[in-house]
Amino acid sequence: MISFSVDLLKKQDIDIQGEEPPSFLDVGNSEMISFRDNVRYKLHISLVSGGVLIKGCVNSGYEGVCGRCLEHFKGEFGTSELCLFYENVCGAELDISEDVRAALVVEIPMNCICGENCLGLCPRCGCNLNREQCSCEDTDDGNNPWSELNKLKL
Ligand SMILES: [Zn+2]
Ligand SMILES: [Zn+2]
């Protein structure tokens, strides 16, 4: 749980940082992506006119299967621009877990790839082009009798 003392905030700004277990994310693991890293956060909480302002960063890691080359890899996700605002704060303690969680969940990559430069698999022979170079491309242009036909269609 991520929370802070409202009473203390009335006297001074509060800096909190810490870690929560992976279950904090409350996102199911799948074959394509799983979450086993702690959630790390660092927040600055201050009283501003009209409410409570919270800024900071929250991040975690994941293990994924690359959508291009099908290799397992580890990645990070999160934001350093977390910004939450609460009006009319009452009570001695404010629990912001759910809002921090929501802000982190939207940062989970939709497109799971090991890197921007991942070359993926050869669509013909299936070899991993990040690690090896197949000869499929060579046969594609030049001596391929069908290349002339393709030009006609265009
Ligand atoms: Zn990849
Ligand atoms: Zn190939």
Side-chain angles (χ1 to χ4, degrees):
M1 185 172 97
I2 304 174
S3 65
F4 63 90
S5 161
V6 176
D7 288 339
L8 180 61
L9 183 64
K10 285 170 183 164
K11 297 185 197 114
Q12 62 183 76
D13 287 5
I14 301 175
D15 286 293
I16 54 172
Q17 65 179 67
E19 299 195 3
E20 292 287 323
S23 58
F24 176 83
L25 260 186
D26 198 24
V27 172
N29 291 337
S30 70
E31 274 177 40
M32 296 306 285
I33 190 163
S34 60
F35 304 92
R36 295 192 185 90
D37 283 9
N38 280 352
V39 172
R40 300 171 294 273
Y41 62 89
K42 191 174 180 189
L43 306 170
H44 181 80
I45 305 159
S46 56
L47 210 54
V48 296
S49 65
V52 172
L53 182 67
I54 301 172
K55 288 188 161 192
C57 55
V58 57
N59 58 70
S60 187
Y62 65 96
E63 287 167 45
V65 177
C66 177
R68 288 188 197 160
C69 69
L70 305 180
E71 290 288 313
H72 288 258
F73 70 100
K74 287 189 171 192
E76 297 269 319
F77 66 99
T79 175
S80 58
E81 294 173 349
L82 180 85
C83 189
L84 302 171
F85 182 76
Y86 298 91
E87 274 182 306
N88 306 321
V89 174
C90 52
E93 187 104 351
L94 185 63
D95 180 1
I96 56 170
S97 304
E98 182 52 35
D99 293 323
V100 173
R101 191 192 78 84
L104 181 56
V105 166
V106 297
E107 299 293 333
I108 294 173
M110 300 287 280
N111 215 345
C112 199
I113 52 173
C114 66
E116 285 297 322
N117 298 323
C118 175
L119 298 171
L121 302 177
C122 170
R124 297 189 174 203
C125 71
C127 83
N128 186 338
L129 296 172
N130 297 312
R131 284 198 302 238
E132 50 192 316
Q133 204 170 10
C134 60
S135 51
C136 296
E137 268 181 322
D138 295 344
T139 57
D140 202 25
D141 32 47
N143 297 330
N144 187 340
W146 297 104
S147 56
E148 286 301 313
L149 204 63
N150 286 336
K151 280 178 203 160
L152 284 176
K153 279 184 204 159
L154 289 169

